[in-house]
Amino acid sequence: MPKTIVRDGVRELLEEGGAQLVDVLPSEEYAESHLPGAINIPLKELNRETTARLRRDEPVIAYCHDYL
Amino acid sequence: MSPRAAWRLEGLGFSKVYDYAPSKVDWFAAGLPMEGELASVPTVGDVARRGVPTCAPEEKVGEVRDRIQGTGWDRCVVVNEERVVLGLLREKELAADPETTAEEAMRFGPTTVRPDVPAGKMAERMQERGTASVVVTTPDGELVGLMYREDAERPYNTGSPEHA
């Protein structure tokens, strides 16, 4: 079951190394702004092929833009 | 959207999946780094002065006034141990009875703004409202600094030593 994570948790995982940030917003929104090092895989394109570049044994952190 | 993405990723065989539900809005509002086209647009966090004097709620106004005299600052932000903004002592409040505590004299709950707001837009808003300065905090209320409209109208003027 995916775990919800807050900002400090994201920072900790990134500092530990290996964590992968996935921006699931449309590519236009990703181009405007994204977290450092994040890769863009829009939600509708999330499949086995597009996620092939991600390491399956390392943490994956998904984020978007619709919380506040 | 991100919860659906997180579940989808898990369904695709990833075992350590996290959902950063507060999203990039939360990240940028905390003044953390950004990549992309907007990264070059000056923000409130870029132009905010960081060395703003602070005091604890129990400090005497007279002591605070003496401390900031001659520093070039005309106000002091009242914060708790976590640097969360509680109030503001402007010139008017700093002129109160010296024995009054900061908590008693302060302007409670001043307007605050997040560091990721574009500085130019903020300056326009402040001009419309006749505001000269605004307190900058993270989404958690932690003090970042003080933004003066004049600084936002000439972004990246780093002539003042108080700038980040």
Side-chain angles (χ1 to χ4, degrees):
Chain A
M1 181 179 172
K3 292 178 187 161
T4 301
I5 194 169
V6 294
R7 194 190 322 133
D8 286 346
V10 173
R11 295 179 75 177
E12 277 171 27
L13 281 175
L14 293 174
E15 280 164 17
E16 284 169 13
Q20 308 158 95
L21 281 166
V22 180
D23 183 318
V24 297
L25 291 161
S27 56
E28 300 79 23
E29 287 188 52
Y30 171 83
E32 272 189 2
S33 65
H34 53 265
L35 271 61
I39 62 163
N40 182 220
I41 310 177
L43 180 62
K44 288 177 183 173
E45 298 169 22
L46 215 46
N47 57 42
R48 203 160 291 281
E49 207 170 87
T50 56
T51 58
R53 56 185 155 156
L54 296 171
R55 297 177 302 279
R56 284 170 192 276
D57 55 339
E58 297 281 6
V60 180
I61 307 165
Y63 74 86
C64 60
H65 190 187
D66 58 4
Y67 177 69
L68 295 178
Chain B
M1 189 187 281
S2 61
R4 281 180 284 161
W7 279 107
R8 177 79 179 127
L9 283 161
E10 199 165 78
L12 288 167
F14 291 89
S15 56
K16 299 173 192 166
V17 180
Y18 296 86
D19 171 17
Y20 179 28
S23 86
K24 68 178 184 179
V25 173
D26 169 74
W27 183 269
F28 299 143
L32 292 169
M34 173 193 293
E35 285 181 354
E37 293 158 5
L38 296 180
S40 58
V41 175
T43 63
V44 165
D46 291 327
V47 300
R49 300 184 192 186
R50 307 292 171 131
V52 57
T54 60
C55 69
E58 62 274 13
E59 277 190 73
K60 298 272 173 63
V61 165
E63 290 166 12
V64 177
R65 191 168 57 214
D66 291 347
R67 185 149 53 83
I68 70 168
Q69 208 164 28
T71 62
W73 291 95
D74 61 355
R75 51 198 63 207
C76 180
V77 182
V78 185
V79 296
N80 67 10
E81 312 80 52
E82 308 295 324
R83 278 181 64 84
V84 169
V85 174
L86 303 175
L88 186 64
L89 295 171
R90 302 165 299 178
E91 277 183 289
K92 185 181 161 189
E93 289 83 25
L94 284 167
D97 179 345
E99 289 303 308
T100 311
T101 65
E103 189 169 28
E104 289 166 337
M106 72 185 186
R107 183 179 167 222
F108 185 78
T111 301
T112 60
V113 63
R114 304 291 87 76
D116 62 320
V117 174
K121 278 188 184 169
M122 192 63 214
E124 282 174 23
R125 235 187 289 168
M126 290 168 77
Q127 192 165 26
E128 284 166 13
R129 295 176 189 179
T131 312
S133 67
V134 65
V135 178
V136 185
T137 69
T138 67
D140 311 315
E142 194 180 324
L143 177 66
V144 172
L146 202 61
M147 188 196 109
Y148 283 84
R149 193 175 78 216
E150 63 188 65
D151 293 337
E153 287 167 345
R154 47 182 166 80
Y156 291 125
N157 179 346
T158 53
S160 165
E162 292 88 10
H163 278 89

